[in-house]
Amino acid sequence: GIQVEQSPPDLILQEGANSTLRCNFSDSVNNLQWFHQNPWGQLINLFYIPSGTKQNGRLSATTVATERYSLLYISSSQTTDSGVYFCAVREGYQKVTFGIGTKLQVIP
Amino acid sequence: NAGVTQTPKFQVLKTGQSMTLQCAQDMNHNSMYWYRQDPGMGLRLIYYSASEGTTDKGEVPNGYNVSRLNKREFSLRLESAAPSQTSVYFCASGDNEQFFGPGTRLTVL
């Protein structure tokens, strides 16, 4: 099956700093999503981005499907950005595979 | 709109007991999913349902059964719970973009 690798596995930022999270996948995919799992365990949709670039406030994402990677940019990080960021890809019609995530801690 | 709802939020079982996790969505999606999340890992797909009346195995189906009761509801059953099934269970729905419920934290003693 498809392999999804996320990097870095852990990241500590000072509040106000910027960061880039990466998701590499091993085969063609039909779609790709980024999620934020907050410290209470809730999974929050960030982006549905099978290709191209999207922005939502301080967050933006870019997927280059032909090169099999996606990037999530966080600018001016805040403590509320802490948690785990997951990339999930879909191959075929239904099969969805998650990466193991990037754990982000933003310190004041 | 409630989105995706799950019950219960927490459950403790003894080895060998059975239980059913309930999931419902009000977004009129055809596809629904059950995942489990273990510490330090991403989510792993247990079963999915592409439409009412159909279900298929995911990555880790052993020890579980599912029922797609109607378009709104998709339940996950543990017939004889084992400690290895201690996990957080998430239900999701979505035909392209997936939306997740709040999760059920299950402990099997």
Side-chain angles (χ1 to χ4, degrees):
Chain A
I2 195 167
Q3 305 298 314
V4 180
E5 294 182 356
Q6 292 187 242
S7 60
D10 295 279
L11 185 59
I12 299 175
L13 295 177
Q14 200 77 37
E15 196 168 25
N18 303 328
S19 63
T20 301
L21 282 57
R22 187 176 181 101
C23 172
N24 291 334
F25 42 97
S26 61
D27 207 342
S28 301
V29 298
N30 290 346
N31 65 46
L32 185 146
Q33 282 186 258
W34 284 97
F35 296 91
H36 174 215
Q37 187 167 40
N38 64 22
W40 296 270
Q42 183 183 8
L43 281 160
I44 300 163
N45 288 35
L46 297 178
F47 295 100
Y48 170 69
I49 186 165
S51 64
T53 298
K54 291 186 178 180
Q55 180 153 9
N56 184 2
R58 296 181 296 103
L59 302 182
S60 64
T62 295
T63 297
V64 184
T66 54
E67 297 187 21
R68 301 178 184 169
Y69 73 90
S70 184
L71 302 174
L72 177 69
Y73 306 96
I74 304 174
S75 64
S76 304
S77 58
Q78 301 176 357
T79 55
T80 52
D81 295 331
S82 295
V84 183
Y85 290 80
F86 289 105
C87 164
V89 302
R90 176 177 294 175
E91 54 178 323
Y93 183 61
Q94 293 298 341
K95 184 170 171 53
V96 178
T97 303
F98 276 72
I100 63 170
T102 292
K103 185 175 183 180
L104 172 65
Q105 184 180 358
V106 181
I107 54 178
Chain B
N1 287 350
V4 180
T5 58
Q6 293 183 235
T7 55
K9 287 187 169 53
F10 302 93
Q11 185 71 49
V12 179
L13 294 177
K14 294 181 179 178
T15 297
Q17 288 184 317
S18 62
M19 79 161 296
T20 299
L21 282 64
Q22 306 286 353
C23 175
Q25 54 97 3
D26 62 3
M27 294 176 282
N28 202 35
H29 291 147
N30 291 305
S31 302
M32 297 185 72
Y33 307 81
W34 277 105
Y35 294 88
R36 62 178 288 172
Q37 184 180 28
D38 300 300
M41 299 182 69
L43 279 72
R44 292 183 294 168
L45 184 64
I46 304 171
Y47 270 93
Y48 64 93
S49 171
S51 61
E52 185 179 350
T54 68
T55 61
D56 285 287
K57 295 178 180 179
E59 182 184 354
V60 287
N62 291 345
Y64 306 95
N65 288 303
V66 291
S67 295
R68 183 72 183 269
L69 305 170
N70 48 55
K71 192 170 187 178
R72 289 188 65 249
E73 298 172 291
F74 189 35
S75 63
L76 179 72
R77 182 160 178 84
L78 287 70
E79 291 290 351
S80 179
S84 60
Q85 294 178 303
T86 293
S87 190
V88 180
Y89 291 85
F90 288 97
C91 176
S93 76
D95 298 325
N96 291 298
E97 184 176 4
Q98 288 196 19
F99 298 87
F100 281 81
T104 295
R105 188 173 296 274
L106 174 67
T107 301
V108 182
L109 303 175

